[in-house]
Amino acid sequence: MRSSILSSFVTDQTFAMRGNALHLARYGAAVVSVVLALAAALVLRWYGLPHPFMSFSFAAIAITFWCAGTMPGLIALALSYSALTYFFTPAKIGDLSWDSYLIIYGVFGFFVCWFSSSRRRAEKLLAEARDNLEIRVKERTAELRTANEELQHTQNELSELTQKLAQEKLYLEDEIRNDTNFMEIIGTSPRLRRVLKLVETVAPTDSTVLISGETGTGKELIARAIHNLSHRQSGTFVRLNCAAIPAGLLESELFGHEKGAFTNAITQRIGRLELANNGTLFLDEIGELPLELQPKLLRALQEREFERLGSTRTLSTNVRLIAATNRDLSALVEEGKFRPDLFFRLNVFPVDLPPLRERAEDIPLLVRHFAEEFSSRMNKTIDTISSGVMDELCQYLWPGNIRELQNVIERAVILSPGPELVVPSPALQAHEKNVLPLKKPAARATRRQPVRRILSNVDRDQIIQALKDAHGQIGGPDGAASLLGLKRTTFITRMKKLGVVPGDVLESSELSEGTGHVAGSAVV
């Protein structure tokens, strides 16, 4: 602004100086023209040649009028007449008086002035037209420059939106390819109905939902149902499995990154949190989220703002979060593996999905659904399912829940030679061999089971029996916690809650056995 004002001031001063110089040059032209005419006449007179000063003065007056203007022309006319009157004795034309020469000069000057004024007026109009044209050109140039900048800004925004849409398209295509086979929620059991009632209640709101349940119970299906019943159903449903992505790349997947933010970041990437704007973000296996990433997610949920990796620009997002886990987050909080503030922020509306063994009345419906689906896909016809097969399927505990049932039915459809579904008994027996009985204290669990499931089955008697079998030792590979498949801290919390004292257990055990040994304190 200051530079433009200074530039206009300098331009005005330059034009003023040029105007003064031009003004002096015009009046100087009158004197110079008459002096030249007088000098020509003197030279001719000196050499005795005809010296018609009147002709020279007419030429001087005409040139001054034509080039310098009216006022300089009148000055030239007065100077010529004065020179003719006082300095020369020209040959008179007839008996004309000196005043008659003045009339001749005046008439000549009038016609020359008229022609000169007309020319100058035309030049002035042309100059004004040229100036107006230059002004319009400058204005149009400025408008075009502004329009070009706006167009460039719009092109940048369009390019960013195009890139975002392209990534959304790729993501949705990947979602379609990786979509599960559950096209609808199937079941009529009371526990499932209670869950669906909770879904209908929380779906119209924007509250955060925490879905907990064992692996294979359909947590993502419930999350999609919440999204489809909400006012965000026209938005994008974006899912992210926190356990399926390495910890080093999880932040980039969640928040996105700028070009050059880290090694191999050759292009800008939009994160899942930005893709889910005005939609729903489903974070599966939230218990596997790295501890260092949890504060950033908490800030994004509370402030609805985040930054991409390698960027200082803060982005706003309007996203609804649905989280799912098959782990006991409260136990993780006690162990220091999950932030309590993030847990309380996620646990606004908890939804606990029942395992398939607790809704056995839904198994026949699921079996028929999967049989029809896989038979149609494989161009087979499955019309009947024997009652023996159905009873066997209903009596099985299904540790893998609906996902395991789906795989068993798919295998059965492949192996069925006719219209009757044949489920080989060895298939279920092979699964049963991999599930160790929980009430055998001597058997060590080969794989860790979900904490919520274990705690629901652990009672006071089992804890006491485990302490007896471990001779009062709680921690370590041969401790009571390991025998029950629990962590030491979780076992101690459960033991205190049930009022079990290790010393009393050992003392009562030794008294009942009559060993006479003094019970020592438990080894933790």
Side-chain angles (χ1 to χ4, degrees), residues 465-522:
Q465 184 62 40
L467 285 171
K468 291 179 180 180
D469 294 335
H471 304 289
Q473 182 178 347
I474 296 177
D478 297 324
S482 180
L483 293 177
L484 293 179
L486 296 175
K487 288 186 174 294
R488 182 179 61 85
T489 54
T490 306
F491 183 86
I492 294 175
T493 303
R494 188 69 173 177
M495 185 175 60
K496 291 179 179 179
K497 184 177 181 181
L498 296 175
V500 178
V501 180
D504 296 341
V505 172
L506 288 179
E507 184 177 356
S508 61
S509 175
E510 291 179 356
L511 288 176
S512 63
E513 294 176 359
T515 59
H517 297 287
V518 179
S521 59

Side-chain angles (χ1 to χ4, degrees), residues 357-513:
R357 62 182 173 274
E358 296 180 6
R359 40 182 288 224
E361 55 267 51
D362 292 336
I363 293 179
L365 299 177
L366 292 169
V367 170
R368 294 188 184 94
H369 170 75
F370 290 136
E372 292 176 0
E373 181 178 352
F374 290 121
S375 61
S376 175
R377 187 183 303 177
M378 300 175 189
N379 294 323
K380 286 189 173 184
T381 302
I382 302 296
D383 294 332
T384 60
I385 303 175
S386 65
S387 58
V389 171
M390 190 64 74
D391 291 340
E392 187 177 2
L393 293 175
C394 292
Q395 292 173 4
Y396 182 61
L397 294 180
W398 299 109
N401 294 292
I402 300 176
R403 185 178 294 114
E404 183 184 5
L405 174 63
Q406 176 189 8
N407 295 335
V408 169
I409 299 303
E410 182 177 5
R411 187 183 305 113
V413 171
I414 296 174
L415 297 176
S416 297
E420 182 179 355
L421 183 67
V422 177
V423 179
S425 297
L428 298 180
Q429 293 174 1
H431 284 277
E432 289 177 353
K433 291 180 181 179
N434 295 329
V435 182
L436 297 180
L438 184 62
K439 294 187 178 181
K440 289 184 180 180
R444 293 281 303 277
T446 58
R447 59 179 181 180
R448 186 172 300 278
Q449 298 178 359
V451 176
R452 183 180 297 274
R453 175 185 170 187
I454 296 175
L455 290 179
S456 63
N457 296 325
V458 174
D459 54 14
R460 179 183 176 87
D461 295 337
Q462 287 178 298
I463 291 179
I464 293 174
Q465 184 62 40
L467 285 171
K468 291 179 180 180
D469 294 335
H471 304 289
Q473 182 178 347
I474 296 177
D478 297 324
S482 180
L483 293 177
L484 293 179
L486 296 175
K487 288 186 174 294
R488 182 179 61 85
T489 54
T490 306
F491 183 86
I492 294 175
T493 303
R494 188 69 173 177
M495 185 175 60
K496 291 179 179 179
K497 184 177 181 181
L498 296 175
V500 178
V501 180
D504 296 341
V505 172
L506 288 179
E507 184 177 356
S508 61
S509 175
E510 291 179 356
L511 288 176
S512 63
E513 294 176 359

Side-chain angles (χ1 to χ4, degrees), residues 24-39 60 63-64 76 79:
L24 294 175
R26 288 172 55 203
Y27 284 94
V31 178
V32 171
S33 299
V34 176
V35 169
L36 290 176
L38 180 61
I63 292 172
T64 305
L79 291 175

Side-chain angles (χ1 to χ4, degrees), residues 262-305:
F262 51 86
T263 306
N264 297 329
I266 58 176
T267 59
Q268 183 191 71
R269 181 180 180 86
I270 297 176
R272 305 293 176 92
L273 196 62
E274 191 173 352
L275 283 173
N277 189 32
N278 297 322
T280 303
L281 175 63
F282 174 59
L283 294 181
D284 198 5
E285 304 294 346
I286 190 67
E288 305 297 333
L289 189 69
L291 194 61
E292 64 273 9
L293 194 57
Q294 294 177 18
K296 297 182 180 180
L297 177 61
L298 179 63
R299 175 181 178 268
L301 295 178
Q302 291 180 342
E303 306 296 335
R304 296 184 177 271
E305 294 179 346

